[in-house]
Amino acid sequence: MKKKFSTGSLRNSFERRSFIIGSLQGGIGLLLAARMGYIAVAENKKYKMESESNRVNLSLIPPRRGWILDRNGAPLASNKADFRVDIIPDRLNDPATAIDTLGELLDLSAVQVKDLKAKLENVHGFQPIEVASGLDYDAFAAISVRLPDLPGVVPQRGFSRYYRTGPSVGHLIGFVGPASAEEYEKEPSQLLVTPGFKLGKDGLEKEFEQTLRGKPGARRVEVTASGRVVRDLNTREDTQGQSIRLTIDGPLQDYAARRIGLESGSVVVIDCLTGDLMCMASMPSFDPNSFSDGIGRVEYKMLSEDERVPLRNKVLKGLYPPGSTVKPMVAMSFLEAGLDPNESTICNGGLRVGNRVFHCWNRRGHGRVDMSKGIYQSCDVYFYYFAQKLGMNIIADMARRCGLGQTFPLPVTSQFYGTVPDPEWKLKKYGREWQAYDTVNATIGQGYMLFNPLQLAVYASRIATGNKIMPRLLLNGSKPSFDGMNFHGDHVQVIQQAMSDVINGPGTAGRARLPIDGIKMAGKTGTAQVVSLNVSSGKGGPWKYRDHGLFICFAPFDNPRYATAVVIEHGGGSGSAYPIARDVMTFLFDPEKGLEALHALEKQWGGTAQERLAARYAAYAAEAGVDIPPAPNDPADIARKVDAEARAAAAQPQEVATGAVTPGPEPVDDRQGGSPE
Amino acid sequence: MRSSLLPGPIAAQPWRVIIPLTLLTFFGATVLYSAAGGSFEPFASSQLLRYGIFLLLALVMSYMPQELVRWAAFPVYGVVVLLLIGVETIGAIGGGSQRWLNIGPLVLQPSELMKPAIVLALAQFYHSLPPGLTGSWRALIPAGVLIAVPMGLVLMQPDLGTSLAIAFGGAVVMFLAGLPMKWFVGGGIAGLIAVPLAFFFGLEEYQQRRVTTFLDPESDPLGAGYHITQSKIAIGSGGLFGKGFGNGSQSHLNYLPEPHTDFVFATMAEEWGLLGGLAVLLIFGLVLRWGLTVARRAPDRFSGLLAGGMTATIFFYVAINLMMVMGLAPVVGIPLPWMSHGGSSMMTNMICIGTIMMVDRWNKSRRSSSLQ
């Protein structure tokens, strides 16, 4: 059908079509009104929320960490208000330039800048990185002024962890650091990636993380699309974490750590009435203050290369052959097995068992030796002789009863068991029968025996009191009561007297006598060989071949209040250990006198432990330069690595023994033969 | 119609459109005042000033006789095409795209002028076309060329929104001119086929992205979809009554892009809510209805097509802009007439309004002369 067009038909179609267009326009108008109604009314709630979440920015305020207090309420770990600068890698436009700029503004060293850049490569973009803390106000202001040019840089007022005594408490308390990717995965909370927030990485800081952490505060601010803060809406204060109160005596801990001086070793002090661990010093150590600021590559290299393993907590993870310090325990096992303490044997410098001769450390012999003399002169033959008669099993049982080779319910990240060898153990471990020489070795604390200083201290306290002292680290106000050890008769007093004679009588450690009237200390020396006598005499030569020096003691000897164990690694014999024990014990009863002794020594050593560490670091850094590999990214990795290395080191001497250890001469003091001073 | 209470010249003005438009512009200025953080500068005052000037020009324009307008239709179209070519050339020499010409203190955007010019040219073309030829190729091809040339020039700028506006104005005039319906149906089908082809081969990458993010704005909430998402948040969070004058967080805190130009409706809706939105829609409805009424009353083909095309051009602005801010259309840079801050769109729309007023005056004079 062909349509005819005329003026009239066009007029009509114009009418029609303008109507269509009008309707279409009206329709679209209605559609728009409906659409707007839908968005503004039906979806109003959703969009209102989105508009609020646009407008309001919630930023967390890291909670102030709870303090770690010593037994008297003095802080071992506290918080210091300071200015700090973090960066959030995700928000940086040009990370390298930003760090260089910050380096200039904050006057960072080349190594620090390098460390920061290395960190930047290793972390997830949302994890804040600490650039510097403890800034003075001027540096802080300099950064704050430049903020518009430095997106991703977060300067803030905050708190940083402060350990007043530094290295003295490093191993015990641990340190804090920013959360690692792993920790964030385990606990994906916004707090963990809040700049300035740190959590415990090692030691008590890690064990009591949840207690110490507290609740974060929050700041609600109105921000523009570009993130500029327009105004504060409201702020909720943070809730500080709870404090924990330790049994540690802060000044004593610091004293003991400093008194160890140039040596590598540990000191443990236990309160014999309560089991309170008053001191768990392990040196050399690291400075937890600087670890908490982030571990630099120079610092890490210096510490990890040191053969004295300053990263290892030797109180819990140092395992040592106890040497003659086990003798009071062996003697106690004899007593409990029915041996009369007056029963004696003759020491001619050696004992023949079968066709072999086992030597006493004193080749000239001790003559007639009873139990008391066996202890105070540390006569090996006495113990060889009666151990052959009474057997290894009573000794091993007694060792375990005294806490040796045991772990204790303490809030620590890890503690090592060590080894109490007996025939069953040897068969299981090596598939060999127990030999006479194994017993001989065990009675003088050599061979397979390995204990840590904490166990030695617990053992000292138990043998001193006859009570089953359980060590504790947290002060909770209650006074614990202990089971007795069920030692019979006057056995405890026999051992107390013999150990007193070690110091106050004709014994091996006369110089350990306390310089305090009316208080007598009892103790036992130990010298543990590290290599056999034909490799090194153990007294001099390379450090790592020197004998360990050990000493356990308690005071007052007849009514024990404090028990102490001192272990000096490669100290060259017990002579390195007991002066420290003496001074620590002196400090307990008379701090003035103890400090006097320490100050004289520190003058020779070149300052306190903290000062020496700082000086050593400065010298090392100057020498090392910039080209060293970076420190592990997560400080927790360091703790793990140290733990693994400690385990490996502890496992090392555990080859099957093929003969008796020939004890080297005890570094008996000058008053040889026990003549009184 | 004439009220004897008012003096003649005042009563002779088309108050049916001046009053709603003035209300709308003042409301728009209120929104701009708020968008500027509670200040007349820099948006509201210049907007009101511009409106005043262009309203006067529109009123002056409405007195032009039909003969003159018809005579000038093709020359005006030709001049604007030349201006478009000029912009293109300057842009090419300057190295980069440019949409405007600087003539002394005036900034002229020829593509804006083309919107009314194409309507004018086509109205004249169909007016002079003998009615019998309406169904033949002679009704289609010249008109197609008239539309295609400026469209192509504007697309080269590249400005998709404006070239669509030109095409829409032209198409509506062709539709009203009575061209066979099957051509429009066929054209629609051809368009459906051409759109995907144009999308993949005709559009710049940034334009393609605008279309894809329109289809799924949440896919890229911080990138190109940001505009649509934020606009919907602004409108949606306003609710029924809005957050109150000066309280729009989306616009004041810069979440809303272009809160004073393309997205001015969202700025308004956040503070005035659905009620404000419906008021704006109602005013636009009144204005457009007035335009169509004028067109339908037109005594001759030329004036009818002219008024209808101009109304359609205004409608296109309003519809596309509102659909864009509500997430129904992709983000194309088309402002909302009388509310968005900006001189070019004010000029174009006032030319359209002035033209419709002119047709209205022709209607009245014809009617009064026929009454005499």
Side-chain angles (χ1 to χ4, degrees):
Chain A
M1 188 186 91
K2 186 95 174 139
K3 202 174 168 187
K4 265 305 218 185
F5 292 98
S6 67
T7 312
S9 73
L10 287 179
R11 180 83 228 170
N12 284 340
S13 92
F14 182 86
E15 288 284 328
R16 252 193 340 266
R17 290 188 178 187
S18 63
F19 181 74
I20 294 174
I21 287 190
S23 315
L24 268 176
Q25 292 183 354
I28 288 183
L30 287 178
L31 172 78
L32 287 170
R35 169 73 174 168
M36 189 176 171
Y38 177 71
I39 296 179
V41 178
E43 295 195 304
N44 175 248
K45 222 175 197 171
K46 168 185 157 194
Y47 286 120
K48 223 174 198 158
M49 224 173 64
E50 286 187 28
S51 141
E52 278 300 287
S53 81
N54 265 348
R55 181 176 78 97
V56 177
N57 196 338
L58 187 81
S59 57
L60 292 178
I61 302 169
R64 286 158 296 158
R65 227 173 146 70
W67 288 14
I68 299 178
L69 305 171
D70 84 343
R71 60 186 300 119
N72 301 314
L76 298 172
S78 55
N79 303 317
K80 207 166 54 171
D82 72 350
F83 294 107
R84 47 180 293 123
V85 174
D86 296 80
I87 48 178
I88 298 172
D90 262 355
R91 301 198 198 144
L92 294 177
N93 289 339
D94 179 0
T97 318
I99 289 181
D100 287 335
T101 313
L102 287 176
E104 256 169 59
L105 289 174
L106 297 173
D107 210 11
L108 300 180
S109 72
V111 180
Q112 283 170 306
V113 169
K114 203 170 170 182
D115 274 339
L116 279 174
K117 286 181 179 169
K119 261 189 212 164
L120 204 58
E121 280 168 24
N122 285 320
V123 302
H124 289 297
F126 53 82
Q127 283 180 277
I129 299 175
E130 176 171 327
V131 177
S133 62
L135 296 174
D136 57 41
Y137 181 75
D138 289 342
F140 179 76
I143 298 279
S144 302
V145 168
R146 299 276 309 263
L147 220 49
D149 315 329
L150 297 167
V153 175
V154 188
Q156 56 179 339
R157 266 192 96 117
F159 289 92
S160 64
R161 203 62 162 160
Y162 177 59
Y163 308 92
R164 201 180 53 78
T165 49
S168 299
V169 294
H171 290 139
L172 173 68
I173 291 187
F175 54 96
V176 296
S180 67
E182 230 172 280
E183 283 158 335
Y184 180 72
E185 240 162 66
K186 230 183 277 170
E187 191 194 340
S189 133
Q190 187 59 36
L191 178 61
L192 264 64
V193 290
T194 301
F197 175 75
K198 288 179 179 176
L199 41 70
K201 291 287 182 180
D202 199 9
L204 295 169
E205 293 275 26
K206 185 176 178 186
E207 283 302 303
F208 290 98
E209 173 59 30
Q210 295 306 329
T211 314
L212 293 169
R213 183 181 287 181
K215 290 210 176 66
R219 199 164 76 114
R220 282 176 75 230
V221 289
E222 194 172 81
V223 291
T224 66
S226 52
R228 190 171 58 82
V229 173
V230 178
R231 62 193 166 123
D232 278 309
L233 295 175
N234 53 37
T235 303
R236 191 185 72 223
E237 292 294 325
D238 62 315
T239 313
Q240 182 165 14
Q242 284 169 278
S243 302
I244 54 172
R245 190 149 174 190
L246 305 181
T247 58
I248 295 291
D249 183 321
L252 178 69
Q253 170 88 13
D254 189 43
Y255 181 88
R258 284 163 64 185
R259 180 60 186 83
I260 291 170
L262 307 177
E263 302 284 0
S264 165
S266 38
V267 176
V268 180
V269 178
I270 293 186
D271 185 320
C272 291
L273 302 179
T274 56
D276 290 353
L277 284 163
M278 297 174 66
C279 164
M280 288 174 86
S282 162
M283 295 296 278
S285 176
F286 54 87
D287 187 346
N289 289 307
S290 89
F291 265 35
S292 296
D293 287 349
I295 302 167
R297 61 183 70 202
V298 174
E299 187 176 25
Y300 178 69
K301 186 172 155 65
M302 177 179 93
L303 294 173
S304 61
E305 268 177 1
D306 194 329
E307 63 181 348
R308 302 182 178 205
V309 282
L311 293 170
R312 186 186 304 167
N313 184 354
K314 299 182 182 87
V315 170
L316 301 168
K317 296 180 195 172
L319 289 179
Y320 310 94
S324 301
T325 55
V326 292
K327 282 175 183 164
M329 179 275 289
V330 177
M332 182 60 93
S333 75
F334 291 167
L335 286 173
E336 290 294 300
L339 182 70
D340 187 324
N342 295 319
E343 213 164 310
S344 59
T345 183
I346 304 287
C347 170
N348 291 321
L351 177 73
R352 177 173 294 275
V353 179
N355 55 358
R356 301 181 63 161
V357 174
F358 299 113
H359 292 282
C360 184
W361 65 267
N362 186 345
R363 302 296 146 83
R364 286 173 298 164
H366 288 103
R368 176 160 296 279
V369 183
D370 61 3
M371 181 174 284
S372 181
K373 189 173 179 187
I375 291 174
Y376 69 69
Q377 279 290 320
S378 200
C379 174
D380 297 325
V381 165
Y382 174 85
F383 288 95
Y384 296 161
Y385 177 77
F386 288 105
Q388 292 302 321
K389 282 190 152 176
L390 297 165
M392 182 63 202
N393 282 326
I394 59 155
I395 299 174
D397 285 346
M398 181 57 72
R400 285 188 278 261
R401 279 175 73 189
C402 288
L404 296 168
Q406 314 299 306
T407 58
F408 306 99
L410 294 174
V412 293
T413 45
S414 80
Q415 44 182 329
F416 286 6
Y417 281 92
T419 309
V420 177
D422 62 14
E424 199 185 323
W425 173 86
K426 188 181 176 189
L427 198 62
K428 200 171 148 203
K429 174 142 183 156
Y430 297 106
R432 308 260 184 96
E433 288 298 323
W434 189 262
Q435 302 293 328
Y437 60 72
D438 287 325
T439 306
V440 162
N441 287 346
T443 56
I444 58 167
Q446 295 277 170
Y448 303 116
M449 259 189 193
L450 285 176
F451 303 131
N452 68 29
L454 174 67
Q455 291 166 348
L456 290 174
V458 172
Y459 145 57
S461 71
R462 287 183 181 180
I463 207 109
T465 58
N467 288 326
K468 195 175 174 202
I469 309 278
M470 289 303 284
R472 63 171 188 176
L473 203 45
L474 278 192
L475 208 59
N476 54 14
S478 71
K479 189 176 181 300
S481 61
F482 301 113
D483 298 336
M485 291 288 285
N486 296 324
F487 295 140
H488 297 92
D490 62 347
H491 293 169
V492 171
Q493 283 70 37
V494 169
I495 300 292
Q496 281 177 351
Q497 186 57 53
M499 287 176 74
S500 173
D501 286 344
V502 170
I503 295 166
N504 307 301
T508 51
R511 277 200 307 170
R513 192 172 299 176
L514 290 185
I516 298 170
D517 292 334
I519 299 175
K520 283 185 175 172
M521 182 164 86
K524 180 70 195 82
T525 55
T527 296
Q529 277 173 237
V530 182
V531 291
S532 96
L533 275 180
N534 44 34
V535 176
S536 167
S537 75
K539 306 299 166 213
W543 180 75
K544 61 176 181 169
Y545 291 152
R546 289 183 211 163
D547 296 339
H548 295 314
L550 300 96
F551 194 66
I552 59 167
C553 58
F554 50 88
F557 84 98
D558 50 355
N559 181 22
R561 179 67 214 274
Y562 306 114
T564 297
V566 176
V567 177
I568 300 301
E569 291 184 319
H570 308 294
S574 59
S576 60
Y578 64 72
I580 296 176
R582 175 199 61 209
D583 288 354
V584 168
M585 204 60 97
T586 306
F587 181 83
L588 269 168
F589 290 104
D590 187 348
E592 291 279 315
K593 220 169 230 177
L595 277 172
E596 224 168 82
L598 178 63
H599 287 149
L601 286 167
E602 279 186 341
K603 213 167 269 173
Q604 296 171 30
W605 295 333
T608 65
Q610 201 157 8
E611 288 161 2
R612 290 199 312 273
L613 186 63
R616 222 181 116 221
Y617 174 76
Y620 190 92
E623 199 183 311
V626 187
D627 293 319
I628 41 181
N633 204 26
D634 180 10
D637 287 343
I638 296 176
R640 267 194 290 276
K641 197 174 159 207
V642 168
D643 196 59
E645 277 169 9
R647 276 172 209 285
Q652 235 170 22
Q654 292 291 71
E655 302 142 10
V656 61
T658 51
V661 171
T662 309
E666 279 282 314
V668 182
D669 56 70
D670 347 300
R671 306 167 304 106
Q672 171 71 331
S675 54
E677 255 174 329
Chain B
M1 283 295 217
R2 228 173 243 191
S3 163
S4 51
L5 292 174
L6 288 169
I10 292 178
Q13 302 311 323
W15 295 109
R16 277 185 62 194
V17 66
I18 294 175
I19 290 171
L21 273 190
T22 308
L23 280 177
L24 184 62
T25 308
F26 271 92
F27 187 37
T30 313
V31 174
L32 292 176
Y33 175 85
S34 165
S39 153
F40 279 106
E41 299 297 333
F43 307 137
S45 53
S46 62
Q47 182 81 349
L48 287 173
L49 183 67
R50 253 186 234 128
Y51 174 74
I53 292 171
F54 283 121
L55 181 65
L56 275 178
L57 286 178
L59 288 171
V60 169
M61 197 178 137
S62 71
Y63 282 97
M64 282 201 286
Q66 190 177 11
E67 291 68 31
L68 176 68
V69 176
R70 274 165 53 188
W71 173 83
F74 286 118
V76 165
Y77 173 83
V79 167
V80 176
V81 168
L82 284 177
L83 285 175
L84 276 176
I85 294 171
V87 166
E88 209 56 48
T89 320
I90 290 171
I93 293 168
S97 80
Q98 194 178 336
R99 292 177 184 178
W100 50 86
L101 284 173
N102 293 313
I103 307 167
L106 273 175
V107 178
L108 195 64
Q109 201 168 333
S111 57
E112 282 294 326
L113 288 175
M114 184 45 88
K115 291 174 193 169
I118 187 74
V119 172
L120 179 64
L122 284 176
Q124 170 61 10
F125 169 72
Y126 285 114
H127 179 75
S128 52
L129 190 76
L133 293 178
T134 304
S136 75
W137 63 271
R138 285 191 53 192
L140 182 65
I141 301 300
V145 172
L146 283 177
I147 296 174
V149 169
M151 248 189 100
L153 286 169
V154 173
L155 262 182
M156 277 161 67
Q157 286 186 351
D159 185 349
L160 182 67
T162 307
S163 72
L164 285 179
I166 293 168
F168 183 80
V172 167
V173 175
M174 290 166 85
F175 184 71
L176 289 174
L179 266 55
M181 192 60 104
K182 58 185 177 197
W183 291 1
F184 292 97
V185 175
I189 292 170
L192 283 181
I193 298 166
V195 161
L197 291 176
F199 174 78
F200 287 111
F201 303 110
L203 295 189
E204 298 274 325
E205 205 208 322
Y206 84 95
Q207 292 169 327
Q208 283 186 354
R209 225 178 17 242
R210 279 183 179 178
V211 177
T212 50
T213 49
F214 150 65
L215 293 174
D216 184 12
E218 274 76 22
S219 69
D220 188 10
L222 287 176
Y226 182 80
H227 297 199
I228 293 178
T229 308
Q230 294 302 333
S231 169
K232 277 159 75 181
I233 292 176
I235 296 171
S237 63
L240 203 54
F241 302 105
K243 295 177 182 169
F245 180 63
N247 291 337
S249 62
Q250 286 287 104
S251 54
H252 289 284
L253 300 175
N254 306 336
Y255 291 96
L256 197 61
E258 314 276 342
H260 59 287
T261 58
D262 290 0
F263 288 91
V264 72
F265 185 81
T267 307
M268 184 281 301
E270 188 182 17
E271 297 188 357
W272 298 87
L274 180 63
L275 290 186
L278 291 180
V280 169
L281 282 175
L282 183 72
I283 292 177
F284 279 122
L286 287 176
V287 172
L288 292 170
R289 201 181 67 143
W290 168 78
L292 273 183
T293 310
V294 169
R296 291 171 69 126
R297 282 195 191 144
D300 58 280
R301 198 160 152 76
F302 175 71
S303 42
L305 292 176
L306 193 60
M310 293 301 177
T311 309
T313 302
I314 298 172
F315 168 75
F316 186 79
Y317 268 93
V318 176
I320 296 297
N321 178 274
L322 293 185
M323 283 163 75
M324 171 182 83
V325 299
M326 294 184 201
L328 294 173
V331 176
V332 281
I334 287 186
L336 186 64
W338 295 288
M339 291 192 76
S340 288
H341 176 257
S344 292
S345 89
M346 178 70 88
M347 178 186 72
T348 310
N349 287 296
M350 287 312 276
I351 289 174
C352 293
I353 287 294
T355 310
I356 303 171
M357 285 175 175
M358 182 170 73
V359 173
D360 190 31
R361 210 174 294 283
W362 295 342
N363 295 347
K364 282 173 185 161
S365 65
R366 181 69 57 88
R367 212 173 298 135
S368 57
S369 68
S370 65
L371 280 176
Q372 277 167 5

